[in-house]
Amino acid sequence: MSAERILVAMSGGVDSSVAAALLAEQGHQLIGATMKTFCYQEEPGPSRTCCGLDGIMDARRVADALGIPHYVFDVEEEFTRDVIDDFVSEYARGRTPNPCVRCNSNTKFRDLLRRGALLGCDAVASGHYVRAGVVDGETALFRGRDPAKDQSYFLWGLPRALLPRLRFPLGELTKLEVRARARELRLVTAAKPESQEICFVPTGDYRDLLRHRLGERHDALRPGNLVDTRGRVVGRHQGYASFTVGQRRGLGGGFDRRVYVVEIRPGTREVVVGAREALECRELRVGELNWLTARPPSDGTVVRAQLRYRAPAVPGRVQHAGNGLELELEEPVLAVTPGQSAVFFDGTGRILGGGRIATAAMAGGTADGLAEAAASRARADRPALR
């Protein structure tokens, strides 16, 4: 590849640091960029994440070591609208969001490409573990070579038109190789630990954010009943926003066997619990679709579907329905969770596209229950954010 002028997303972590270093070695002209995504002074707690103030300073140190300019872009307004507001709204609806998908799809890459163009850049690069290639003349994204770090699950929402202008230098590397390269280059981020928490929840408890944004009296944070799959009351909870489908901890004692969250019903504030087998799912509906291929899979096509980060992909048959699709799985999957992503791959590991899980037909009930969905949505969708 000929030398390019590239804007590199630098979070202050080891991955983006090595991505920048590798591109510099290849002779590209680089500009480092770190995104300030939220106001660090409004929430209590230390700045521990790669997106926090420490991350900005580490990114600047790496940029200085590589001899490249570094900018900080304030995207707090966009990030709040696209990511934080959505995060809060989804929990209010009894769903489990994935903010990293929203950030990549709606804020990070779009904004970096726009700002990069103003700086005369040809492309944008990041430290994601995903591979890019060309198939039948169009840019395609594939799983990263390291299965333990593959991050393709988080990129299904990218606009297809942007793919030719994205660069992913780490796609062929393993995490161990990236760490080793960082040590060789004496980068300050070489031994920096992985960031596990949600970047905009510095306290480590997302319910603090929900209480701040929704208010203590919101239905999602008020007590309600634990019910079994037959509708019998078996206990109480302190707010359905504390639960996600498949969760076992935090349900209290007194059960004669292990029980799990099978469904969340925001309309009645009920959390449905049941045995592990009640979590088995073979059919689900997916909405908010985005395709990274010119021709989406046709009805009846069998794709590989990944329904949760770190979960293995399973074969499923596609049937388009309105603005979404129905996916019939060839084998049961446990705890398919509304609000999470369903990402579709072909047999080569190419990302075909994805969407948000709307409903899942569980053996012990329907997650995001269809029977009460219309009534509960009318309540949960009312403006409640502060």
PDB file of all heavy atoms in Angstrom, residues 3-34:
ATOM      1  N   ALA A   3       2.040   5.171   0.613  1.00  0.00           N
ATOM      2  CA  ALA A   3       1.947   5.968   1.831  1.00  0.00           C
ATOM      3  C   ALA A   3       0.689   6.833   1.815  1.00  0.00           C
ATOM      4  O   ALA A   3       0.326   7.418   0.786  1.00  0.00           O
ATOM      5  CB  ALA A   3       3.187   6.841   1.966  1.00  0.00           C
ATOM      6  N   GLU A   4       0.031   6.910   2.963  1.00  0.00           N
ATOM      7  CA  GLU A   4      -1.196   7.679   3.095  1.00  0.00           C
ATOM      8  C   GLU A   4      -1.066   8.651   4.262  1.00  0.00           C
ATOM      9  O   GLU A   4      -0.209   8.485   5.132  1.00  0.00           O
ATOM     10  CB  GLU A   4      -2.391   6.764   3.371  1.00  0.00           C
ATOM     11  CG  GLU A   4      -2.720   5.780   2.273  1.00  0.00           C
ATOM     12  CD  GLU A   4      -3.899   4.892   2.657  1.00  0.00           C
ATOM     13  OE1 GLU A   4      -3.812   4.208   3.700  1.00  0.00           O
ATOM     14  OE2 GLU A   4      -4.910   4.915   1.920  1.00  0.00           O
ATOM     15  N   ARG A   5      -1.942   9.618   4.283  1.00  0.00           N
ATOM     16  CA  ARG A   5      -2.077  10.498   5.439  1.00  0.00           C
ATOM     17  C   ARG A   5      -3.262   9.946   6.237  1.00  0.00           C
ATOM     18  O   ARG A   5      -4.401   9.927   5.750  1.00  0.00           O
ATOM     19  CB  ARG A   5      -2.332  11.934   4.993  1.00  0.00           C
ATOM     20  CG  ARG A   5      -2.382  12.963   6.132  1.00  0.00           C
ATOM     21  CD  ARG A   5      -2.546  14.362   5.530  1.00  0.00           C
ATOM     22  NE  ARG A   5      -2.769  15.378   6.538  1.00  0.00           N
ATOM     23  CZ  ARG A   5      -1.810  16.072   7.157  1.00  0.00           C
ATOM     24  NH1 ARG A   5      -0.538  15.818   6.873  1.00  0.00           N
ATOM     25  NH2 ARG A   5      -2.101  16.996   8.051  1.00  0.00           N
ATOM     26  N   ILE A   6      -2.994   9.477   7.466  1.00  0.00           N
ATOM     27  CA  ILE A   6      -3.986   8.720   8.216  1.00  0.00           C
ATOM     28  C   ILE A   6      -4.204   9.358   9.584  1.00  0.00           C
ATOM     29  O   ILE A   6      -3.250   9.675  10.296  1.00  0.00           O
ATOM     30  CB  ILE A   6      -3.543   7.254   8.407  1.00  0.00           C
ATOM     31  CG1 ILE A   6      -3.322   6.579   7.057  1.00  0.00           C
ATOM     32  CG2 ILE A   6      -4.566   6.468   9.221  1.00  0.00           C
ATOM     33  CD1 ILE A   6      -2.764   5.165   7.161  1.00  0.00           C
ATOM     34  N   LEU A   7      -5.474   9.490   9.948  1.00  0.00           N
ATOM     35  CA  LEU A   7      -5.842   9.897  11.300  1.00  0.00           C
ATOM     36  C   LEU A   7      -5.984   8.636  12.135  1.00  0.00           C
ATOM     37  O   LEU A   7      -6.772   7.744  11.799  1.00  0.00           O
ATOM     38  CB  LEU A   7      -7.165  10.666  11.281  1.00  0.00           C
ATOM     39  CG  LEU A   7      -7.595  11.297  12.605  1.00  0.00           C
ATOM     40  CD1 LEU A   7      -6.683  12.462  12.965  1.00  0.00           C
ATOM     41  CD2 LEU A   7      -9.050  11.770  12.522  1.00  0.00           C
ATOM     42  N   VAL A   8      -5.213   8.517  13.209  1.00  0.00           N
ATOM     43  CA  VAL A   8      -5.211   7.320  14.038  1.00  0.00           C
ATOM     44  C   VAL A   8      -5.966   7.591  15.333  1.00  0.00           C
ATOM     45  O   VAL A   8      -5.628   8.511  16.084  1.00  0.00           O
ATOM     46  CB  VAL A   8      -3.778   6.861  14.379  1.00  0.00           C
ATOM     47  CG1 VAL A   8      -3.807   5.540  15.138  1.00  0.00           C
ATOM     48  CG2 VAL A   8      -2.945   6.726  13.120  1.00  0.00           C
ATOM     49  N   ALA A   9      -6.996   6.775  15.609  1.00  0.00           N
ATOM     50  CA  ALA A   9      -7.733   6.876  16.866  1.00  0.00           C
ATOM     51  C   ALA A   9      -6.856   6.324  17.975  1.00  0.00           C
ATOM     52  O   ALA A   9      -6.497   5.144  17.974  1.00  0.00           O
ATOM     53  CB  ALA A   9      -9.037   6.091  16.777  1.00  0.00           C
ATOM     54  N   MET A  10      -6.506   7.147  18.941  1.00  0.00           N
ATOM     55  CA  MET A  10      -5.609   6.760  20.023  1.00  0.00           C
ATOM     56  C   MET A  10      -6.330   6.922  21.355  1.00  0.00           C
ATOM     57  O   MET A  10      -6.530   8.042  21.829  1.00  0.00           O
ATOM     58  CB  MET A  10      -4.322   7.581  19.977  1.00  0.00           C
ATOM     59  CG  MET A  10      -3.563   7.434  18.659  1.00  0.00           C
ATOM     60  SD  MET A  10      -2.019   8.383  18.602  1.00  0.00           S
ATOM     61  CE  MET A  10      -1.035   7.469  19.803  1.00  0.00           C
ATOM     62  N   SER A  11      -6.733   5.820  21.945  1.00  0.00           N
ATOM     63  CA  SER A  11      -7.486   5.851  23.203  1.00  0.00           C
ATOM     64  C   SER A  11      -6.588   5.992  24.422  1.00  0.00           C
ATOM     65  O   SER A  11      -7.067   6.271  25.519  1.00  0.00           O
ATOM     66  CB  SER A  11      -8.306   4.564  23.336  1.00  0.00           C
ATOM     67  OG  SER A  11      -7.439   3.453  23.505  1.00  0.00           O
ATOM     68  N   GLY A  12      -5.294   5.733  24.254  1.00  0.00           N
ATOM     69  CA  GLY A  12      -4.391   5.700  25.390  1.00  0.00           C
ATOM     70  C   GLY A  12      -4.124   4.297  25.875  1.00  0.00           C
ATOM     71  O   GLY A  12      -3.463   4.091  26.889  1.00  0.00           O
ATOM     72  N   GLY A  13      -4.616   3.291  25.140  1.00  0.00           N
ATOM     73  CA  GLY A  13      -4.353   1.893  25.450  1.00  0.00           C
ATOM     74  C   GLY A  13      -3.245   1.334  24.595  1.00  0.00           C
ATOM     75  O   GLY A  13      -2.772   1.971  23.649  1.00  0.00           O
ATOM     76  N   VAL A  14      -2.829   0.113  24.897  1.00  0.00           N
ATOM     77  CA  VAL A  14      -1.714  -0.487  24.175  1.00  0.00           C
ATOM     78  C   VAL A  14      -2.075  -0.798  22.735  1.00  0.00           C
ATOM     79  O   VAL A  14      -1.230  -0.692  21.828  1.00  0.00           O
ATOM     80  CB  VAL A  14      -1.214  -1.757  24.910  1.00  0.00           C
ATOM     81  CG1 VAL A  14      -2.291  -2.841  24.945  1.00  0.00           C
ATOM     82  CG2 VAL A  14       0.070  -2.291  24.279  1.00  0.00           C
ATOM     83  N   ASP A  15      -3.318  -1.189  22.462  1.00  0.00           N
ATOM     84  CA  ASP A  15      -3.683  -1.583  21.102  1.00  0.00           C
ATOM     85  C   ASP A  15      -3.587  -0.417  20.125  1.00  0.00           C
ATOM     86  O   ASP A  15      -2.961  -0.526  19.061  1.00  0.00           O
ATOM     87  CB  ASP A  15      -5.099  -2.169  21.084  1.00  0.00           C
ATOM     88  CG  ASP A  15      -5.208  -3.455  21.878  1.00  0.00           C
ATOM     89  OD1 ASP A  15      -4.200  -4.184  21.953  1.00  0.00           O
ATOM     90  OD2 ASP A  15      -6.275  -3.727  22.430  1.00  0.00           O
ATOM     91  N   SER A  16      -4.206   0.705  20.462  1.00  0.00           N
ATOM     92  CA  SER A  16      -4.155   1.845  19.548  1.00  0.00           C
ATOM     93  C   SER A  16      -2.741   2.414  19.455  1.00  0.00           C
ATOM     94  O   SER A  16      -2.341   2.936  18.410  1.00  0.00           O
ATOM     95  CB  SER A  16      -5.137   2.928  19.992  1.00  0.00           C
ATOM     96  OG  SER A  16      -4.857   3.387  21.298  1.00  0.00           O
ATOM     97  N   SER A  17      -1.966   2.284  20.536  1.00  0.00           N
ATOM     98  CA  SER A  17      -0.574   2.755  20.506  1.00  0.00           C
ATOM     99  C   SER A  17       0.244   1.960  19.504  1.00  0.00           C
ATOM    100  O   SER A  17       0.997   2.525  18.697  1.00  0.00           O
ATOM    101  CB  SER A  17       0.049   2.640  21.898  1.00  0.00           C
ATOM    102  OG  SER A  17      -0.639   3.411  22.850  1.00  0.00           O
ATOM    103  N   VAL A  18       0.107   0.638  19.532  1.00  0.00           N
ATOM    104  CA  VAL A  18       0.857  -0.210  18.600  1.00  0.00           C
ATOM    105  C   VAL A  18       0.340  -0.028  17.173  1.00  0.00           C
ATOM    106  O   VAL A  18       1.120  -0.044  16.213  1.00  0.00           O
ATOM    107  CB  VAL A  18       0.785  -1.684  19.034  1.00  0.00           C
ATOM    108  CG1 VAL A  18       1.387  -2.602  17.976  1.00  0.00           C
ATOM    109  CG2 VAL A  18       1.513  -1.869  20.363  1.00  0.00           C
ATOM    110  N   ALA A  19      -0.962   0.167  17.015  1.00  0.00           N
ATOM    111  CA  ALA A  19      -1.504   0.419  15.679  1.00  0.00           C
ATOM    112  C   ALA A  19      -0.835   1.641  15.063  1.00  0.00           C
ATOM    113  O   ALA A  19      -0.431   1.633  13.890  1.00  0.00           O
ATOM    114  CB  ALA A  19      -3.020   0.613  15.749  1.00  0.00           C
ATOM    115  N   ALA A  20      -0.698   2.703  15.845  1.00  0.00           N
ATOM    116  CA  ALA A  20      -0.040   3.907  15.348  1.00  0.00           C
ATOM    117  C   ALA A  20       1.431   3.644  15.030  1.00  0.00           C
ATOM    118  O   ALA A  20       1.948   4.086  14.001  1.00  0.00           O
ATOM    119  CB  ALA A  20      -0.172   5.024  16.383  1.00  0.00           C
ATOM    120  N   ALA A  21       2.101   2.901  15.906  1.00  0.00           N
ATOM    121  CA  ALA A  21       3.522   2.613  15.687  1.00  0.00           C
ATOM    122  C   ALA A  21       3.743   1.803  14.419  1.00  0.00           C
ATOM    123  O   ALA A  21       4.685   2.062  13.655  1.00  0.00           O
ATOM    124  CB  ALA A  21       4.084   1.866  16.894  1.00  0.00           C
ATOM    125  N   LEU A  22       2.901   0.826  14.168  1.00  0.00           N
ATOM    126  CA  LEU A  22       3.049   0.002  12.968  1.00  0.00           C
ATOM    127  C   LEU A  22       2.837   0.825  11.706  1.00  0.00           C
ATOM    128  O   LEU A  22       3.558   0.665  10.715  1.00  0.00           O
ATOM    129  CB  LEU A  22       2.051  -1.162  13.009  1.00  0.00           C
ATOM    130  CG  LEU A  22       2.276  -2.210  14.095  1.00  0.00           C
ATOM    131  CD1 LEU A  22       1.161  -3.260  14.064  1.00  0.00           C
ATOM    132  CD2 LEU A  22       3.633  -2.881  13.932  1.00  0.00           C
ATOM    133  N   LEU A  23       1.848   1.696  11.724  1.00  0.00           N
ATOM    134  CA  LEU A  23       1.603   2.540  10.545  1.00  0.00           C
ATOM    135  C   LEU A  23       2.762   3.506  10.320  1.00  0.00           C
ATOM    136  O   LEU A  23       3.137   3.789   9.171  1.00  0.00           O
ATOM    137  CB  LEU A  23       0.295   3.299  10.725  1.00  0.00           C
ATOM    138  CG  LEU A  23      -0.977   2.452  10.666  1.00  0.00           C
ATOM    139  CD1 LEU A  23      -2.190   3.287  11.076  1.00  0.00           C
ATOM    140  CD2 LEU A  23      -1.182   1.859   9.280  1.00  0.00           C
ATOM    141  N   ALA A  24       3.328   4.015  11.412  1.00  0.00           N
ATOM    142  CA  ALA A  24       4.485   4.905  11.279  1.00  0.00           C
ATOM    143  C   ALA A  24       5.662   4.165  10.649  1.00  0.00           C
ATOM    144  O   ALA A  24       6.364   4.709   9.786  1.00  0.00           O
ATOM    145  CB  ALA A  24       4.867   5.475  12.646  1.00  0.00           C
ATOM    146  N   GLU A  25       5.884   2.919  11.067  1.00  0.00           N
ATOM    147  CA  GLU A  25       6.961   2.107  10.496  1.00  0.00           C
ATOM    148  C   GLU A  25       6.767   1.873   9.001  1.00  0.00           C
ATOM    149  O   GLU A  25       7.728   1.740   8.253  1.00  0.00           O
ATOM    150  CB  GLU A  25       7.047   0.763  11.217  1.00  0.00           C
ATOM    151  CG  GLU A  25       7.625   0.845  12.614  1.00  0.00           C
ATOM    152  CD  GLU A  25       7.721  -0.526  13.256  1.00  0.00           C
ATOM    153  OE1 GLU A  25       7.145  -1.487  12.698  1.00  0.00           O
ATOM    154  OE2 GLU A  25       8.370  -0.645  14.312  1.00  0.00           O
ATOM    155  N   GLN A  26       5.511   1.808   8.579  1.00  0.00           N
ATOM    156  CA  GLN A  26       5.220   1.573   7.166  1.00  0.00           C
ATOM    157  C   GLN A  26       5.359   2.832   6.318  1.00  0.00           C
ATOM    158  O   GLN A  26       5.183   2.792   5.106  1.00  0.00           O
ATOM    159  CB  GLN A  26       3.800   1.027   7.030  1.00  0.00           C
ATOM    160  CG  GLN A  26       3.610  -0.350   7.650  1.00  0.00           C
ATOM    161  CD  GLN A  26       2.142  -0.750   7.761  1.00  0.00           C
ATOM    162  OE1 GLN A  26       1.265  -0.116   7.174  1.00  0.00           O
ATOM    163  NE2 GLN A  26       1.862  -1.804   8.520  1.00  0.00           N
ATOM    164  N   GLY A  27       5.666   3.939   6.951  1.00  0.00           N
ATOM    165  CA  GLY A  27       5.938   5.167   6.216  1.00  0.00           C
ATOM    166  C   GLY A  27       4.750   6.079   6.000  1.00  0.00           C
ATOM    167  O   GLY A  27       4.837   7.052   5.242  1.00  0.00           O
ATOM    168  N   HIS A  28       3.649   5.814   6.689  1.00  0.00           N
ATOM    169  CA  HIS A  28       2.483   6.678   6.536  1.00  0.00           C
ATOM    170  C   HIS A  28       2.655   7.973   7.333  1.00  0.00           C
ATOM    171  O   HIS A  28       3.343   8.001   8.362  1.00  0.00           O
ATOM    172  CB  HIS A  28       1.221   5.954   7.009  1.00  0.00           C
ATOM    173  CG  HIS A  28       0.906   4.719   6.223  1.00  0.00           C
ATOM    174  ND1 HIS A  28       0.502   4.757   4.904  1.00  0.00           N
ATOM    175  CD2 HIS A  28       0.943   3.402   6.561  1.00  0.00           C
ATOM    176  CE1 HIS A  28       0.287   3.525   4.470  1.00  0.00           C
ATOM    177  NE2 HIS A  28       0.566   2.686   5.456  1.00  0.00           N
ATOM    178  N   GLN A  29       2.022   9.017   6.884  1.00  0.00           N
ATOM    179  CA  GLN A  29       2.018  10.292   7.598  1.00  0.00           C
ATOM    180  C   GLN A  29       0.827  10.271   8.547  1.00  0.00           C
ATOM    181  O   GLN A  29      -0.321  10.165   8.114  1.00  0.00           O
ATOM    182  CB  GLN A  29       1.899  11.461   6.624  1.00  0.00           C
ATOM    183  CG  GLN A  29       1.974  12.819   7.304  1.00  0.00           C
ATOM    184  CD  GLN A  29       1.832  13.953   6.305  1.00  0.00           C
ATOM    185  OE1 GLN A  29       1.727  13.738   5.104  1.00  0.00           O
ATOM    186  NE2 GLN A  29       1.836  15.182   6.805  1.00  0.00           N
ATOM    187  N   LEU A  30       1.085  10.368   9.831  1.00  0.00           N
ATOM    188  CA  LEU A  30       0.038  10.143  10.826  1.00  0.00           C
ATOM    189  C   LEU A  30      -0.316  11.394  11.610  1.00  0.00           C
ATOM    190  O   LEU A  30       0.526  12.262  11.850  1.00  0.00           O
ATOM    191  CB  LEU A  30       0.471   9.056  11.813  1.00  0.00           C
ATOM    192  CG  LEU A  30       0.898   7.711  11.240  1.00  0.00           C
ATOM    193  CD1 LEU A  30       1.248   6.756  12.372  1.00  0.00           C
ATOM    194  CD2 LEU A  30      -0.195   7.111  10.365  1.00  0.00           C
ATOM    195  N   ILE A  31      -1.580  11.428  12.032  1.00  0.00           N
ATOM    196  CA  ILE A  31      -2.065  12.397  13.001  1.00  0.00           C
ATOM    197  C   ILE A  31      -2.806  11.599  14.065  1.00  0.00           C
ATOM    198  O   ILE A  31      -3.714  10.824  13.750  1.00  0.00           O
ATOM    199  CB  ILE A  31      -3.012  13.432  12.369  1.00  0.00           C
ATOM    200  CG1 ILE A  31      -2.281  14.243  11.302  1.00  0.00           C
ATOM    201  CG2 ILE A  31      -3.599  14.353  13.435  1.00  0.00           C
ATOM    202  CD1 ILE A  31      -3.184  15.199  10.537  1.00  0.00           C
ATOM    203  N   GLY A  32      -2.424  11.744  15.317  1.00  0.00           N
ATOM    204  CA  GLY A  32      -3.102  11.048  16.397  1.00  0.00           C
ATOM    205  C   GLY A  32      -4.308  11.830  16.878  1.00  0.00           C
ATOM    206  O   GLY A  32      -4.287  13.068  16.901  1.00  0.00           O
ATOM    207  N   ALA A  33      -5.368  11.113  17.243  1.00  0.00           N
ATOM    208  CA  ALA A  33      -6.587  11.775  17.711  1.00  0.00           C
ATOM    209  C   ALA A  33      -7.194  10.984  18.853  1.00  0.00           C
ATOM    210  O   ALA A  33      -7.333   9.762  18.774  1.00  0.00           O
ATOM    211  CB  ALA A  33      -7.604  11.910  16.582  1.00  0.00           C
ATOM    212  N   THR A  34      -7.536  11.678  19.922  1.00  0.00           N
ATOM    213  CA  THR A  34      -8.244  11.075  21.054  1.00  0.00           C
ATOM    214  C   THR A  34      -9.571  11.791  21.216  1.00  0.00           C
ATOM    215  O   THR A  34      -9.636  13.023  21.126  1.00  0.00           O
ATOM    216  CB  THR A  34      -7.425  11.198  22.347  1.00  0.00           C
ATOM    217  OG1 THR A  34      -6.147  10.597  22.158  1.00  0.00           O
ATOM    218  CG2 THR A  34      -8.130  10.505  23.506  1.00  0.00           C
TER     219      THR A  34
END
